Amino acid sequence: MWESDGGLLARVDKTKMPRHVAIIMDGNGRWANCRGLLRSAGHTAGVKTLKKILKTAVNLKLEALTVYAFSTENWKRPHSEVDFLMHLFSDYLEREKLEMHQNNVRIKFLGRTEDFSPALQKLMHESAELMKNNTGVKFNVAADYGGQDEIIRAAQKLARRVQSGEILPEEISEKIFDDELDTFGQPPVDLLIRTSGELRISNFLLWQAAYAEFWFTDTPWPEFTPEEFIDALIDFGKRSRRFGALNN
Ligand code: FPP
């Protein structure tokens, strides 16, 4: 089991925790460049950060954690970088899946899978199957994921259901739409964290983040720590969320 840093976790008021935290793990490349390293070294360091944050999420008993590992636009990067990210992703799953399973994590992949290599697709499938009955943190890895693409895929599934006569167009509700998304059955995003100073959503969880609180930091992802993750959770606990209504 992953050990917990009790002192650190005690800073969080459990009654004010978000249910679902999403993270745009940005800044690996710039972090590496600033140190005269290759961008790949930044991504390798990024995986180490991810392991620490997942462990913190497990110890905090967070309900859902979603990370943006590879966007539908990331295929436009140089072939060598895409290749490196694919290897990193598969090494990560190979090395970590058992430990995640032992920690009751339920991994799920958001996005398309068909453009990944058959070996990677198999590993993703095996990892998800291994953990599918786990009841701990829902750990969503968005890979070949785009929010607009996800919404279009959901619309296509609904169009087919209408075409087959299963439902009427006017029966399509937010709930029915939500159930066709990759995150079906999971709570909406409460808190969206983005590292490395960029202030944008970059096609991430466009539907699910409709009422998310945003938390931005200049810290590049390789330097992001469990302490700063907890700062974000504490700050979330102080926000006044009205969901378009009034407070009283
Ligand atoms: C953003 O940094 C990061 C990515 C595009 C990939 C994120 C990947 C990891 C943290 C590691 C791999 C993930 C898994 C699940 C194994 P950037 O390259 O856009 O950095 P920059 O904006 O400084 O160039």
Side-chain angles (χ1 to χ4, degrees), residues 62-66 105-107 135-140 185-187:
L62 188 69
E63 185 172 337
L65 175 72
T66 302
V105 170
R106 200 193 79 186
I107 201 167
T135 54
V137 178
K138 296 177 178 79
F139 177 43
N140 302 307
Q186 299 196 28

Side-chain angles (χ1 to χ4, degrees), residues 25-31 39 43 46-47 50 67-70 74 77 81 85 88-89 92 141 196 221:
M25 311 181 284
D26 197 13
N28 294 342
R30 279 166 286 162
W31 177 86
R39 290 177 58 83
H43 295 312
V47 172
L50 178 59
V67 295
Y68 210 0
F70 193 84
N74 286 154
R77 293 191 176 196
E81 181 163 343
L85 283 168
L88 202 59
F89 188 23
Y92 172 73
V141 178
S196 210
W221 178 249

Side-chain angles (χ1 to χ4, degrees), residues 39-40 43 69-91 115-117 120 143-144:
R39 290 177 58 83
S40 53
H43 295 312
F70 193 84
S71 76
T72 45
E73 289 72 36
N74 286 154
W75 294 109
K76 295 180 204 153
R77 293 191 176 196
H79 187 70
S80 56
E81 181 163 343
V82 170
D83 228 36
F84 185 83
L85 283 168
M86 294 300 136
H87 278 106
L88 202 59
F89 188 23
S90 99
D91 277 3
D115 290 331
F116 293 135
S117 70
L120 180 51
D144 199 4

Side-chain angles (χ1 to χ4, degrees), residues 5-237:
D5 177 345
L8 184 62
L9 304 186
R11 289 178 56 214
V12 182
D13 178 346
K14 291 280 165 48
T15 65
K16 293 183 176 159
M17 283 252 297
R19 292 178 68 193
H20 188 168
V21 179
I23 309 182
I24 302 179
M25 311 181 284
D26 197 13
N28 294 342
R30 279 166 286 162
W31 177 86
N33 283 341
C34 285
R35 280 157 188 76
L37 302 169
L38 295 174
R39 290 177 58 83
S40 53
H43 295 312
T44 303
V47 172
K48 289 192 182 140
T49 302
L50 178 59
K51 283 164 66 174
K52 286 187 232 166
I53 299 303
L54 176 61
K55 185 172 152 185
T56 308
V58 165
N59 290 327
L60 282 167
K61 299 191 169 40
L62 188 69
E63 185 172 337
L65 175 72
T66 302
V67 295
Y68 210 0
F70 193 84
S71 76
T72 45
E73 289 72 36
N74 286 154
W75 294 109
K76 295 180 204 153
R77 293 191 176 196
H79 187 70
S80 56
E81 181 163 343
V82 170
D83 228 36
F84 185 83
L85 283 168
M86 294 300 136
H87 278 106
L88 202 59
F89 188 23
S90 99
D91 277 3
Y92 172 73
L93 289 179
E94 202 68 82
R95 265 186 293 111
E96 300 293 319
K97 64 178 195 246
L98 264 184
E99 213 175 340
M100 282 188 218
H101 182 46
Q102 284 158 0
N103 282 279
N104 201 20
V105 170
R106 200 193 79 186
I107 201 167
K108 184 178 166 83
F109 300 96
L110 314 182
R112 297 173 168 269
T113 47
E114 62 267 23
D115 290 331
F116 293 135
S117 70
L120 180 51
Q121 287 183 43
K122 183 165 175 273
L123 184 56
M124 290 163 78
H125 180 73
E126 282 168 2
S127 310
E129 278 294 304
L130 172 71
M131 293 178 239
K132 72 177 179 196
N133 295 322
N134 289 350
T135 54
V137 178
K138 296 177 178 79
F139 177 43
N140 302 307
V141 178
D144 199 4
Y145 174 87
Q148 292 176 334
D149 179 69
E150 181 190 29
I151 290 169
I152 288 171
R153 285 187 285 109
Q156 287 170 342
K157 286 183 240 169
L158 283 170
R160 281 193 281 274
R161 288 174 64 190
V162 169
Q163 198 174 34
S164 71
E166 186 194 331
I167 51 167
L168 293 167
E170 48 276 21
E171 284 173 339
I172 298 173
S173 60
E174 285 175 20
K175 165 84 175 82
I176 286 183
F177 199 92
D178 203 83
D179 285 346
E180 297 294 351
L181 294 169
D182 298 344
T183 48
F184 66 90
Q186 299 196 28
V189 174
D190 295 307
L191 174 65
L192 195 150
I193 296 173
R194 182 169 189 150
T195 58
S196 210
E198 308 291 355
L199 308 179
R200 53 178 173 263
I201 194 163
S202 298
N203 202 11
F204 191 39
L205 302 172
L206 298 179
W207 173 279
Q208 297 88 339
Y211 278 98
E213 297 293 324
F214 285 69
W215 200 82
F216 297 108
T217 174
D218 288 337
T219 306
W221 178 249
E223 282 180 12
F224 191 71
T225 57
E227 286 79 4
E228 199 170 359
F229 183 53
I230 284 183
D231 288 343
L233 301 183
I234 292 171
D235 190 58
F236 171 84

